[in-house]
Amino acid sequence: MEPIILASSSPRRQEILKLLNIPFQVIMPSIDETVIQSIDTDDVAEFLAREKVTAVIHSLPAQQEIKWILGADTIIIKDGHCYGKPEDIEQAEFFLREFSGKTHEVITSIALYNGRNKTITTKKARTKVTFADLSEEEIQWYLDTGEWHGAAGGYRIQSLASCFIKKIEGSQSCVTGLPIFELFDILKEQGYSILE
């Protein structure tokens, strides 16, 4: 299999590529993840995933052959509001209180650059996550774990936050940050086979 450049430092995304035995190298994209107000909340993750791929393309030497670049972005939408990574513990606490006892939608978009035809294609996954009612003690305990750092919505479903998840409708890997079905599908569409 040809190596893929992963435009992300996310350990979870790296774990999923390792699970699929896809060889990769990580190049961190330098982009402004501040949500642009003119973009529909439904399209923010796709926009940022594309931006990550484009930033990596521009960071490499012009003469370098680039075969594949994979970018992904995850956002949470609740009541028309977009929740990204919390800036600090106070914002993480606010997010947890917002999600407590309610359902929100997680959207992860992936963007794949195909060096053969110089195109970027995208796919999107959606999952609904319902939190149980959280007590003050539970909120403080979770904040103290530090797990909220660098996580969309301030929680990690694949770790301790799973204690609070009452129901999930859709793909857990979408919430983790790299939807496996959509990844397999986009690679297959672009002629990259992992069945080797």
Side-chain angles (χ1 to χ4, degrees):
M1 277 186 272
E2 293 175 321
I4 288 178
I5 294 171
L6 177 62
S8 170
S9 63
S10 162
R12 304 297 172 250
R13 291 179 182 138
Q14 293 176 38
E15 283 171 14
I16 289 170
L17 291 183
K18 286 175 188 169
L19 171 75
L20 299 173
N21 291 317
I22 296 173
F24 68 93
Q25 72 172 104
V26 172
I27 297 181
M28 271 293 298
S30 178
I31 67 162
D32 179 7
E33 289 198 43
T34 307
V35 176
I36 298 166
Q37 298 302 321
S38 60
I39 299 175
D40 187 293
T41 51
D42 203 54
D43 298 325
V44 169
E46 181 180 342
F47 173 80
L48 292 174
R50 279 182 175 275
E51 286 291 291
K52 290 175 182 179
V53 169
T54 303
V56 169
I57 292 169
H58 293 312
S59 73
L60 296 170
Q63 69 277 10
Q64 182 175 337
E65 183 188 5
I66 308 167
K67 293 189 176 171
W68 304 97
I69 303 174
L70 177 67
D73 196 79
T74 302
I75 60 154
I76 290 173
I77 297 176
K78 181 182 162 292
D79 300 329
H81 296 289
C82 190
Y83 298 78
K85 297 170 187 167
E87 294 172 11
D88 51 37
I89 195 166
E90 287 77 20
Q91 192 172 43
E93 181 178 356
F94 172 74
F95 287 1
L96 290 174
R97 291 186 190 286
E98 287 285 291
F99 301 154
S100 176
K102 298 183 182 78
T103 299
H104 58 261
E105 184 174 47
V106 178
I107 299 176
T108 296
S109 284
I110 54 178
L112 181 69
Y113 173 78
N114 182 336
R116 290 190 191 105
N117 54 26
K118 310 276 192 284
T119 58
I120 299 175
T121 52
T122 62
K123 284 206 180 288
K124 186 185 294 184
R126 298 169 177 277
T127 298
K128 287 186 178 175
V129 177
T130 303
F131 265 61
D133 288 311
L134 302 179
S135 68
E136 287 297 316
E137 187 181 17
E138 288 167 338
I139 290 171
Q140 288 311 311
W141 170 76
Y142 190 70
L143 293 172
D144 289 344
T145 69
E147 239 183 44
W148 58 270
H149 282 284
Y155 72 90
R156 297 189 193 282
I157 196 171
Q158 70 278 9
S159 201
L160 295 173
S162 59
C163 295
F164 308 138
I165 307 301
K166 192 174 184 180
K167 185 167 73 169
I168 178 170
E169 299 170 70
S171 156
Q172 180 162 331
S173 60
C174 166
V175 187
T176 302
L178 191 59
I180 295 173
F181 173 79
E182 284 76 10
L183 174 62
F184 181 74
D185 207 35
I186 201 169
L187 289 171
K188 188 166 61 172
E189 274 180 11
Q190 294 300 309
Y192 185 104
S193 176
I194 68 168
L195 308 178
E196 293 178 10

